[in-house]
Amino acid sequence: MGLQPYAYTIANGTDSIVVMKDDGTGQTVVANQAGYFYSVQLSLDGKKGVVSAEDENGYLQIFVANMANLQNGNPLQLTTDATDHYVPQLSPDDNTVVFVKYDSAGIGRAYTVPAGGGTQTMISTPDTIDVWTPSYTPDGKKIVYEDDNLDCINMMNLDGTGMTTLTNAGGTEYFDEFPSVSPDGTKLVFSRYGKATPTTSEDVYIANIDGSNVTQLTNSGTAGEAWHPMFVNNKIVFVYYSFATSDNDIYNMNFDGSAAKDLTNNSQDEYFQY
Amino acid sequence: MRKALLLTFLLFLAAAWVGCGESTHTVTPTSQVAFIRAASGGALAYNHQSRELRGLRALPARKAHRAWGCNLMLTPLPMEPTPLS
């Protein structure tokens, strides 16, 4: 099963999109070797999905799909301008997509676009901030993101005001990336590795939403790396890269880091974002 | 007795109003998760060290990967690619 091609404007490619429950059951291919996908994400209620995929001209464009009606219609293409559009994330009310484009100076800027189609709007942020992986808090009132200059996790209002740094202030100690806020809005999960010893593995950490009480949840050691965690319902899902097999799999675990489980135990590469 | 009934009714209405107000803002999180599965034999060998080598703007590297038909871990880009536009 699956859609092929996923949409006529997506260039032919060999990546598939798969949907499953957070316990790994019910894996369903919804786009079968249908393009080159850069990232995929479901909305908080799961009714919509958004992808960044390469178009026929080689640019990453954003597409949004109604997950209840995948077999009966192509996804809606939200962007068409000749540049790359990265890491789209849906707002909790399914009405808006936030994503990243780079300006002429190479600075990452967050943009929003209506999920039903419309005009892109840039969120104004200082030139010193290189925005990456923005995502909404579950109440839809804030956006958390990685500052790719200092490699810290920040939070801001929807219009870019009120920026606060949540983790790795000053950026001297760590590379912090891939922030995700818990459904109740009280916790932040992200992945981190050290700047002083850049060969150390990446692991998943959890903190209070204000950045306090940072706690390591995974301990990959020399065997692999745990990265790109996300809260999904009552689990944290993340990607684990094994040095032994050079393979990424999707895992889940409890909020306290216990009971980590490989949900896609095969030889294929699986991830949320390339 | 009538006053007590009226008071109970008014309290019920107030509770119902508060409850409705809260429910309109509640989103039930999905237990579903979507992910990308790369084609078999096309392992991208993606970890933080390769990300640092390639930079996070990975599309040019990926295009090179496809064009050269080789594994990115064997051919990391020496510097961060410049944006396409």
Side-chain angles (χ1 to χ4, degrees), chain A residues 115-150:
Chain A
T119 303
Q120 299 176 28
T121 303
M122 192 182 85
I123 299 174
S124 180
T125 46
D127 290 348
T128 53
I129 301 290
D130 196 4
V131 179
W132 188 246
T133 58
S135 66
Y136 288 92
T137 55
D139 62 6
K141 296 178 179 177
K142 303 270 188 179
I143 290 173
V144 294
Y145 63 96
E146 177 199 346
D147 172 9
D148 202 22
N149 274 338
L150 292 179

Side-chain angles (χ1 to χ4, degrees), chain A residues 14-256:
Chain A
T14 55
D15 295 341
S16 300
I17 301 289
V18 184
V19 175
M20 66 179 176
K21 288 193 70 174
D22 60 0
D23 62 3
T25 61
Q27 292 189 26
T28 304
V29 178
V30 297
N32 187 17
Q33 297 191 27
Y36 287 109
F37 296 103
Y38 186 91
S39 67
V40 62
Q41 182 247 352
L42 295 181
S43 62
L44 183 60
D45 62 11
K47 292 180 180 176
K48 288 186 177 177
V50 66
V51 300
S52 177
E54 202 173 313
D55 68 12
E56 292 172 326
N57 297 314
Y59 294 111
L60 289 176
Q61 304 292 355
I62 295 173
F63 301 81
V64 66
N66 180 350
M67 299 305 293
N69 194 31
L70 277 175
Q71 299 294 332
N72 297 315
N74 281 331
L76 176 65
Q77 183 168 351
L78 298 183
T79 60
T80 57
D81 46 322
T83 189
D84 293 316
H85 305 74
Y86 294 94
V87 293
Q89 300 269 310
L90 280 150
S91 61
D93 62 6
D94 291 350
N95 289 331
T96 309
V97 174
V98 64
F99 62 97
V100 167
K101 285 200 300 190
Y102 288 95
D103 66 16
S104 58
I107 299 169
R109 304 289 189 181
Y111 284 75
T112 59
V113 63
T119 303
Q120 299 176 28
T121 303
M122 192 182 85
I123 299 174
S124 180
T125 46
D127 290 348
T128 53
I129 301 290
D130 196 4
V131 179
W132 188 246
T133 58
S135 66
Y136 288 92
T137 55
D139 62 6
K141 296 178 179 177
K142 303 270 188 179
I143 290 173
V144 294
Y145 63 96
E146 177 199 346
D147 172 9
D148 202 22
N149 274 338
L150 292 179
D151 305 295
C152 55
I153 306 298
N154 291 346
M155 180 183 285
M156 63 182 175
N157 297 323
L158 301 185
D159 62 1
T161 62
M163 189 201 77
T164 57
T165 296
L166 304 179
T167 72
N168 195 31
T172 56
E173 288 191 84
Y174 306 108
F175 291 94
D176 285 355
E177 54 187 10
F178 300 115
S180 170
V181 177
S182 61
D184 66 2
T186 65
K187 297 289 184 182
L188 174 77
V189 70
F190 58 99
S191 51
R192 156 180 286 183
Y193 57 99
K195 280 190 172 176
T197 52
T199 55
T200 57
S201 286
E202 187 162 9
D203 273 302
V204 175
Y205 290 73
I206 196 168
N208 295 329
I209 191 61
D210 63 1
S212 64
N213 196 26
V214 174
T215 304
Q216 185 172 348
L217 296 183
T218 63
N219 189 2
S220 301
T222 58
E225 297 195 315
W227 61 285
H228 204 163
M230 291 191 300
F231 285 102
V232 176
N233 196 25
N234 59 358
K235 294 285 186 182
I236 294 172
V237 296
F238 61 100
V239 184
Y240 180 75
Y241 175 80
S242 165
F243 291 126
T245 60
S246 299
D247 176 46
N248 285 294
D249 280 340
I250 308 296
Y251 278 65
N252 74 1
M253 62 183 173
N254 297 323
F255 285 8
D256 62 2

